[in-house]
Amino acid sequence: MNNRSKYAAIITLIWAFQMVTSSVLPESASAADTQPAAIVSEGGAADDSSPNTNQMTNASTQPQISTSDGTTSFVAANNTISTPVTVDSNISIMKSDTPTLSSAQVRITSGLQSGEDLLMFVNNSATQYGNILGSYDSFNGTLTLTSSGASATITQWQQALRAVTYSNTAITPYTANRIITFTVNDGTVSSNPADKTVTVTAVNQAPILTTTSGTSTFKGIPVAIDSGLTLSDLDNKTMSAATVSITGNFFSNQDILAFTNDGSTMGNITGSYNAGTGTLTLTSSGASATIAQWQQALRAVTYSNTSTGPYTSSIRTISFTVSDGIASSNSATKTVKVSNQPPIVNTSAGLTSYTAGTVPVDPALSISDPDDQTLASGRVSIVSLYHAGKEELQFTNDGATMGNISGRFDPVSGMLTLTSENGTATVSEWESALRSVTYISSENASEPSDQTIRFVVSDGNDESNQADKGLTVQGLTRLSISASSLQMEVGQSSSVLLKALYSNQIETDVTKSAVWSAADPAVAEVTNGEITGKSAGTTVITAVYGGKSESLNLTVTAKPVVSNPSQPADTPSARPSCTTATQGCV
């Protein structure tokens, strides 16, 4: 019991003693005889501070209150609002000369943390608390209780004081003891002060993990389990460790959890996977990785499956937990669905160079599928700037290595669609078909340009990745004809070659791809570089290819006339000499 409470108890005993003695002493007893000479101090000696007569007279009208023994314990909450504690559920109002009181004050007189400490009283029963209301001054730590018209009874005031609570709004509160002092007032005089000690205990706040809703889907390539996961901690800036575990439908012979530190946003976090338990353990040496780095690391954890025939009917449950070195977080879960694994298309490295004619887009392309041996369809598209009517993708089934795959090119969209009836063509047949797809262009611009060709296949359930192959369309620099001029006789024919020089310095024979013409068709005609003289004269032969043209001058001369010498009419024809019967002699 504190000194103030002891003092109040002593005063109460004194007045009780006076009440008894006044009833038994003779009337002649002097007033001085009814006054105690001294109040005994805690040590048993007379206390010089004992009230004198006037003080005792004042004490006779002073309300008396007393707090209970012991201390009250307040413990801060973990990641939630702390629960207020009743300061003293056994405080007593022991004496008052009036049946009612007008006000009371509950004040934190030691250890006050302004803006953190909170005293509260709520009147939720007029019967129990009368008309008592409370108002708290957080700066001074003072709760003032009042009864309008001083109408609340002693019993109601005692109940009200017993309902006063203490709480702390800080995440990590100041842990020094709080001394809380109660006083009441009857409208004229205040009571003795009565103290109660409240101990304050701070609690380490555990980390908080939150996963996003929905289910992630594994389709043959590692998938991030939850790229939107969030991590927070109210009183720690770093974490020490984490675990990611397959806690539902774990298949040890095929399920894999993996983590790779990106080297820039994940601090010193490292990972180790136990394939037998399905648990990935992440650690930070010295617990130096920050909350943000841990969040990035957990978002980067992936699920994959090593089986060619994985268990797709069971959804995996993945559980995340983190530790700040003292407490572990909640267990946050995310589900992963293992789906049909789509085919995978890989194009070869480098660019394909196109000059003239047709060229295979990617003769080294490859296709695989983890869980299917046949594919249903595919498409090859010109995905960069497509020049409709001037570019085309072509496919012809060789009848031997390409199964029943057929193709159709759409000149509007620039897409070649390939299909296998009933999806029976094998993966290797599809690989042969896509390797044979060719590109042709009549654009023939003067400058080279880059084009992108995209390959996609489907197993009938899922499409593959989009695999792109770059193709450089070389620019047409110039044309050249094998002869600048030509002379021939009527009826004679002669062939010339037309060559195209491209921006990569490759020269290509385009004789049969060019458009040939004669300026004077009466003099000569020309087809695929073969010129035939028709009549004597001159003309110009022109070849047009790729928006460019080249010409040669042609001269056609008349065919020489060979005349026989005249013979006299009366001269008989000479007979040929004959030597043998084989020469037809008679």
Side-chain angles (χ1 to χ4, degrees):
M1 183 180 295
N2 55 56
N3 289 336
R4 290 175 176 172
S5 297
K6 289 178 179 179
Y7 173 75
I10 291 171
I11 293 296
T12 301
L13 290 173
I14 290 171
W15 281 107
F17 174 76
Q18 287 182 330
M19 297 256 326
V20 172
T21 55
S22 63
S23 64
V24 299
L25 289 176
E27 293 182 2
S28 61
S30 66
D33 294 335
T34 63
Q35 303 288 340
I39 297 176
V40 179
S41 68
E42 292 185 39
D47 189 352
D48 293 336
S49 64
S50 300
N52 56 27
T53 304
N54 290 333
Q55 289 174 323
M56 292 301 297
T57 301
N58 291 336
S60 68
T61 62
Q62 183 185 40
Q64 300 297 314
I65 61 173
S66 177
T67 51
S68 63
D69 291 335
T71 60
T72 297
S73 177
F74 170 82
V75 179
N78 182 6
N79 289 316
T80 187
I81 298 174
S82 297
T83 301
V85 294
T86 301
V87 178
D88 191 346
S89 59
N90 289 309
I91 190 170
S92 299
I93 301 176
M94 301 177 298
K95 174 179 171 54
S96 176
D97 288 344
T98 60
T100 62
L101 298 175
S102 65
S103 64
Q105 190 179 83
V106 187
R107 183 178 180 186
I108 302 173
T109 53
S110 177
L112 171 66
Q113 299 297 302
S114 298
E116 176 180 315
D117 293 324
L118 178 62
L119 297 175
M120 191 178 343
F121 165 73
V122 177
N123 188 331
N124 53 16
S125 172
T127 301
Q128 189 171 7
Y129 305 123
N131 66 345
I132 300 172
L133 298 176
S135 175
Y136 182 62
D137 176 0
S138 61
F139 182 78
N140 293 302
T142 301
L143 173 66
T144 301
L145 305 178
T146 57
S147 168
S148 179
S151 60
T153 67
I154 297 297
T155 299
Q156 290 170 336
W157 273 105
Q158 182 169 272
Q159 290 292 96
L161 294 180
R162 289 179 175 182
V164 171
T165 61
Y166 168 85
S167 186
N168 196 293
T169 60
I171 294 171
T172 306
Y174 178 64
T175 57
N177 289 349
R178 309 310 197 259
I179 304 298
I180 299 179
T181 302
F182 294 80
T183 59
V184 296
N185 188 286
D186 61 9
T188 302
V189 65
S190 293
S191 72
N192 60 295
D195 296 338
K196 185 71 174 181
T197 299
V198 175
T199 62
V200 177
T201 302
V203 172
N204 174 69
Q205 305 293 300
I208 301 173
L209 273 174
T210 304
T211 49
T212 59
S213 60
T215 297
S216 299
T217 302
F218 170 76
K219 290 186 175 182
I221 58 175
V223 59
I225 297 168
D226 193 344
S227 58
L229 170 149
T230 58
L231 170 65
S232 63
D233 193 298
L234 296 177
D235 60 354
N236 291 287
K237 295 182 179 180
T238 62
M239 299 283 109
S240 63
T243 59
V244 186
S245 304
I246 304 174
T247 54
N249 298 315
F250 170 54
F251 298 94
S252 60
N253 61 334
Q254 56 183 252
D255 293 330
I256 299 291
L257 298 179
F259 164 74
T260 301
N261 191 310
D262 66 3
S264 61
T265 67
M266 301 176 188
N268 66 345
I269 300 171
T270 58
S272 175
Y273 181 63
N274 185 328
T277 63
T279 300
L280 173 68
T281 302
L282 305 177
T283 57
S284 165
S285 179
S288 59
T290 66
I291 297 290
Q293 289 168 340
W294 274 102
Q295 181 172 274
Q296 286 296 106
L298 293 175
R299 287 178 174 183
V301 173
T302 61
Y303 169 88
S304 62
N305 195 294
T306 60
S307 175
T308 57
Y311 296 101
T312 59
S313 60
S314 300
I315 293 179
R316 277 53 162 188
T317 300
I318 316 294
S319 298
F320 296 81
T321 60
V322 183
S323 172
D324 60 14
I326 299 175
S328 294
S329 71
N330 57 304
S331 178
T333 61
K334 181 78 175 182
T335 54
V336 175
K337 178 182 179 181
V338 179
S339 181
N340 167 72
Q341 299 185 49
I344 300 171
V345 179
N346 289 309
T347 50
S348 62
L351 298 173
T352 297
S353 179
Y354 175 80
T355 54
T358 59
V359 61
V361 177
D362 192 353
L365 170 148
S366 64
I367 303 175
S368 62
D369 193 302
D371 57 0
D372 288 297
Q373 296 181 351
T374 60
L375 302 177
S377 63
R379 61 179 186 271
V380 188
S381 308
I382 302 173
V383 295
S384 49
L385 183 61
Y386 167 58
H387 303 94
K390 296 183 178 181
E391 294 178 291
E392 185 178 351
L393 296 172
Q394 298 178 344
F395 165 74
T396 301
N397 191 311
D398 65 3
T401 66
M402 303 178 188
N404 63 348
I405 300 171
S406 60
R408 180 180 61 83
F409 180 72
D410 179 8
V412 176
S413 64
M415 179 184 295
L416 172 67
T417 301
L418 305 174
T419 56
S420 165
E421 186 176 358
N422 298 321
T424 58
T426 65
V427 171
S428 61
E429 289 170 339
W430 274 99
E431 188 173 78
S432 295
L434 292 185
R435 285 178 175 182
S436 74
V437 171
T438 58
Y439 171 88
I440 185 170
S441 173
S442 61
E443 180 70 12
N444 288 304
S446 58
E447 297 295 330
S449 61
D450 291 331
Q451 190 60 278
T452 301
I453 312 299
R454 177 167 296 167
F455 296 84
V456 177
V457 294
S458 172
D459 60 11
N461 293 310
D462 295 291
E463 287 191 343
S464 70
N465 58 303
Q466 297 178 343
D468 293 345
K469 178 69 177 180
L471 184 147
T472 299
V473 180
Q474 302 294 336
L476 177 60
T477 303
R478 64 180 175 84
L479 298 175
S480 62
I481 297 180
S482 57
S484 59
S485 63
L486 192 64
Q487 182 173 339
M488 65 177 62
E489 293 179 353
V490 173
Q492 283 186 332
S493 295
S494 181
S495 295
V496 293
L497 297 177
L498 179 68
K499 292 186 177 182
L501 180 67
Y502 289 91
S503 53
N504 58 354
Q505 301 305 307
I506 291 179
E507 195 171 47
T508 302
D509 183 352
V510 294
T511 304
K512 294 183 179 181
S513 300
V515 177
W516 295 85
S517 64
D520 188 348
V523 174
E525 63 181 11
V526 56
T527 302
N528 291 334
E530 185 175 356
I531 306 168
T532 302
K534 295 177 66 178
S535 64
T538 60
T539 189
V540 175
I541 303 299
T542 301
V544 177
Y545 176 80
K548 296 182 181 297
S549 63
E550 188 67 14
S551 301
L552 66 84
N553 295 317
L554 176 67
T555 300
V556 179
T557 58
K559 187 176 182 179
V561 178
V562 178
S563 56
N564 293 322
S566 301
Q567 293 181 350
D570 57 352
T571 303
S573 298
R575 286 181 176 272
S577 60
C578 295
T579 58
T580 65
T582 60
Q583 291 178 312
C585 299
V586 178

